[in-house]
Amino acid sequence: MNLPKFDFVTTTETTQSPALVLGWYQTETQEKDQPSYPLYRGKRNKDIDALSEQIKVSKHFTGKRNEVNFLRFFSLLGYSNLFLLGLGKSKKFSCEVVRQGGAALYHAQKREKISKAAVQMDSVFAGAKPSELVSAVQAFCEGYLLAGYEYKDLKKADPSSFEVLGLTFLGMKSVALIKAAERAGFLAGAVNFARSLGDRPGNVLTPNEFSRLVEKMAKDRGIKCTTLGRKEMEKEKMGLLLGVAQGSAEEPKLIVLEYMKGKKSEKPIALVGKGLTFDSGGISLKPADRMEEMKYDMMGAATVAGVFQALADLKISRNVVGVIAATENMPGGRAQKPGDVQKSMTGKSVEIINTDAEGRLILADAMEYVQKYFAPQAMADFATLTGAVVVALGTVTTGIMGTHSGLIDDVKKASKETDERVWELPLYEEYEEDLKSATADIRNSGNREAGSSKAGTFLKFFVDSKLPWVHFDIAGSAWYRKDINYHPTKGASGAMVRLVTHWMENWRNPK
Ligand code: BES
Ligand code: MN
Ligand code: ZN
């Protein structure tokens, strides 16, 4: 899939684009210092003013967020078609407003079959302060490119399908703006890579295929990538990961990524991902209803893969190590059973109460592995871990939890700066009681209360108490997002790739 392209010109008249895009903010009577009509090259323009009058009278276009009005064969400023792009109240401007605005424009171009459009920057970015302009342009491009993602590999090629080619930004051109659009391209590329991994069905994206695709991504960018198979895992005594893989005919893979572009003296940050290429539940089989969605149970792992792509493409100076645990959870004849006891890499024993609580098992071994071999300064894990987080928070945010408040604060800061929501859930000590086992050190599932925090508490058992660690439960946020127009309503969202990349780029030693 080719990403649409962006360019910048200082002129406003001489582009080849068939359509002009005018951004439209809603006016408020109290906003005296704001122009009531879009400006043209910083000045009022009589044609735009006349159009504004018509719009005011007709009331068909109100300028609310993400409202797009297309006027075909409407001449303005030398263009013969016009998009009016609603951006809401200028007082409520944020990067997310234009990120979604960019997505709304992409969808409208696709619908109206307008391959290229010219964006009148004065009007679209009228809500941004001068200091916000560069990040606003980046956000606009991100939304546009993210909206353009589609997983089409398994569909017959459609000769009549229409391709959106991109945008020309009118009126301003600078190195900073060109860079902003380029950054948006790399970030959207990384998110779309993660999405494409998730959208591949379980029979296509097996653990083996997962490792092949991640290795290719890494090799293309000079990132070190090594993969452990069943033999190597046996040597490492990864009994929890192997236990989950036991019921499947597919070989499990542990994919290790090393991106060491930071100071030599600095310990790496570890990113660990849950990669269930399919989660049937195992012997504790899931109900059939929506079981097909469990092909997305590797989105934590896809997040890690996407972040590494972005780290390399954006040339971020940091030491980061990634560990992806990939396997299926199947109820085969050799599958582990409720009541079985398995041992983790460092010898902690776990009673398997429910074979469907498998994500925490494979993460435990993956986290022990990265702690043993890489001595990280901090660790984060990503997982579609619990249905309970979907019940508690829905799809609109990611549940986070951890034991280090400084690290959590940094995640929240990155969340604000990228508009990728997170919501903290507690890891109280009281939750530990319910994970006690009669036969082993710990059991993998307790009662129905506080399911997400209990899963986090299970993971905490495998994290060195001195290591700053944060767990991301993306079970709600990772796919089928109806809340944001640059995410697919059917398909993987790639949530957290932008946030984590930003977090790594702006890393500071957690206080
Ligand atoms: N992959 C699921 C969690 C999940 C469920 C993600 C629904 C997205 C939507 C996970 O492996 C799982 O099955 N968790 C169980 C844990 C329980 C058995 C303790 C759950 O949430 O029901
Ligand atoms: Mn499960
Ligand atoms: Zn799962």
Side-chain angles (χ1 to χ4, degrees):
M1 196 183 69
N2 289 324
L3 286 178
K5 303 253 182 313
F6 304 114
D7 55 39
F8 294 85
V9 294
T10 48
T11 58
T12 51
E13 291 91 5
T14 59
T15 73
Q16 298 295 313
S17 303
L20 180 72
V21 181
L22 271 190
W24 213 274
Y25 287 86
Q26 288 176 309
T27 49
E28 283 173 296
T29 41
Q30 66 268 33
E31 284 185 280
K32 290 215 182 61
D33 50 337
Q34 293 286 342
S36 45
Y37 306 143
L39 296 178
Y40 175 64
R41 312 207 76 175
K43 293 197 184 73
R44 295 281 292 271
N45 169 283
K46 70 172 176 16
D47 293 335
I48 296 179
D49 283 0
L51 176 63
S52 298
E53 278 308 324
Q54 275 182 294
I55 288 169
K56 249 192 191 164
V57 173
S58 86
K59 294 194 171 71
H60 280 298
F61 176 76
T62 62
K64 64 173 190 286
R65 281 182 65 182
N66 301 341
E67 182 184 4
V68 182
N69 195 350
F70 181 58
L71 293 101
R72 199 181 287 278
F73 311 131
F74 182 95
S75 289
L76 188 74
L77 308 177
Y79 292 86
S80 49
N81 300 290
L82 177 66
F83 286 105
L84 297 173
L85 176 61
L87 293 160
K89 298 202 165 72
S90 59
K91 277 198 174 148
K92 295 208 166 152
F93 178 86
S94 73
C95 280
E96 184 63 11
V97 169
V98 275
R99 196 176 284 110
Q100 295 191 17
L105 175 60
Y106 179 90
H107 292 308
Q109 271 184 256
K110 182 116 194 172
R111 187 171 61 239
E112 303 297 345
K113 295 198 166 35
I114 299 286
S115 60
K116 287 169 110 183
V119 176
Q120 209 258 348
M121 290 181 79
D122 283 351
S123 60
V124 171
F125 299 104
K129 297 188 192 81
S131 63
E132 295 171 320
L133 179 68
V134 171
S135 33
V137 169
Q138 181 182 321
F140 188 85
C141 295
E142 283 171 11
Y144 191 87
L145 296 174
L146 290 170
Y149 168 81
E150 225 182 313
Y151 178 71
K152 293 190 283 206
D153 290 6
L154 303 174
K155 283 196 170 178
K156 190 157 71 206
D158 176 4
S160 70
S161 95
F162 177 80
E163 207 182 349
V164 175
L165 298 176
L167 299 173
T168 298
F169 288 96
L170 302 178
M172 277 177 256
K173 181 177 185 168
S174 72
V175 174
L177 290 174
I178 292 166
K179 274 226 142 125
E182 189 185 89
R183 283 179 61 85
F186 287 139
L187 285 163
V191 175
N192 290 343
F193 173 53
R195 289 170 168 179
S196 80
L197 292 169
D199 287 337
R200 286 176 163 86
N203 64 328
V204 172
L205 193 87
T206 58
N208 188 53
E209 176 69 357
F210 201 161
S211 68
R212 193 184 69 80
L213 290 168
V214 173
E215 276 163 18
K216 180 176 182 311
M217 178 280 292
K219 195 167 166 237
D220 289 348
R221 292 168 175 77
I223 303 170
K224 185 173 171 194
C225 181
T226 41
T227 301
L228 283 66
R230 192 174 260 132
K231 280 244 159 57
E232 293 85 1
M233 291 178 201
E234 277 164 3
K235 229 163 103 198
E236 296 289 351
K237 299 196 164 60
M238 306 179 105
L240 301 183
L241 175 47
L242 286 165
V244 173
Q246 239 173 257
S248 164
E250 296 290 338
E251 186 181 9
K253 300 281 179 184
L254 192 86
I255 309 158
V256 183
L257 293 156
E258 292 169 62
Y259 178 84
M260 298 295 182
K261 295 286 156 90
K263 293 197 194 85
K264 282 233 158 48
S265 59
E266 222 164 72
K267 291 191 205 165
I269 304 149
L271 306 179
V272 180
K274 166 179 172 179
L276 263 296
T277 59
F278 187 73
D279 177 14
S280 72
I283 295 298
S284 314
L285 195 64
K286 285 182 182 296
D289 186 41
R290 295 174 68 177
M291 203 209 267
E292 73 282 1
E293 290 178 12
M294 284 302 120
K295 71 172 182 179
Y296 294 113
D297 208 20
M298 33 53 70
M299 282 313 292
T303 302
V304 174
V307 168
F308 272 76
Q309 172 165 323
L311 289 173
D313 286 352
L314 293 169
K315 301 190 170 61
I316 291 171
S317 308
R318 202 71 60 201
N319 296 329
V320 190
V321 44
V323 176
I324 287 172
T327 180
E328 285 185 333
N329 185 24
M330 295 291 279
R334 294 192 43 80
Q336 65 181 356
K337 306 167 288 296
D340 286 2
V341 173
Q342 310 278 18
K343 277 190 177 165
S344 78
M345 191 177 150
T346 68
K348 290 180 172 153
S349 62
V350 179
E351 182 185 6
I352 311 299
I353 299 295
N354 189 322
T355 65
D356 198 12
E358 83 299 333
R360 61 197 77 183
L361 297 170
I362 73 168
L363 284 170
D365 268 335
M367 292 195 303
E368 287 196 340
Y369 180 88
V370 79
Q371 289 173 90
K372 176 174 172 187
Y373 288 108
F374 293 93
Q377 57 165 313
M379 179 164 70
D381 77 84
F382 306 88
T384 47
L385 204 61
T386 63
V389 88
V390 194
V391 175
L393 303 175
T395 65
V396 298
T397 187
T398 294
I400 60 164
M401 55 204 94
T403 46
H404 191 285
S405 61
L407 198 67
I408 297 266
D409 287 347
D410 289 352
V411 171
K412 289 179 182 167
K413 186 166 179 281
S415 162
K416 284 214 180 71
E417 289 166 355
T418 54
D419 302 300
E420 289 217 89
R421 282 194 188 131
V422 298
W423 194 260
E424 187 180 358
L425 297 171
L427 283 182
Y428 297 128
E429 276 176 20
E430 284 85 341
Y431 298 134
E432 291 166 23
E433 187 61 33
D434 190 29
L435 295 178
K436 286 190 173 147
S437 160
T439 53
D441 297 332
I442 189 171
R443 57 179 188 166
N444 79 330
S445 146
N447 62 29
R448 288 163 43 89
E449 296 170 10
S452 305
S453 289
K454 293 259 177 74
T457 300
F458 179 91
L459 296 177
K460 192 177 84 175
F461 192 67
F462 299 86
V463 180
D464 187 306
S465 60
K466 288 192 279 297
L467 178 66
W469 159 74
V470 56
H471 159 59
F472 291 72
D473 194 335
I474 59 170
S477 56
W479 70 86
Y480 293 8
R481 297 285 297 264
K482 297 199 173 68
D483 54 314
I484 289 180
N485 67 349
Y486 53 79
H487 282 319
T489 51
K490 286 258 148 84
S493 69
M496 297 297 109
V497 172
R498 288 191 303 110
L499 180 152
V500 178
T501 303
H502 182 88
W503 182 33
M504 295 297 111
E505 188 166 25
N506 298 284
W507 182 263
R508 52 179 187 192
N509 286 340
K511 280 182 266 333

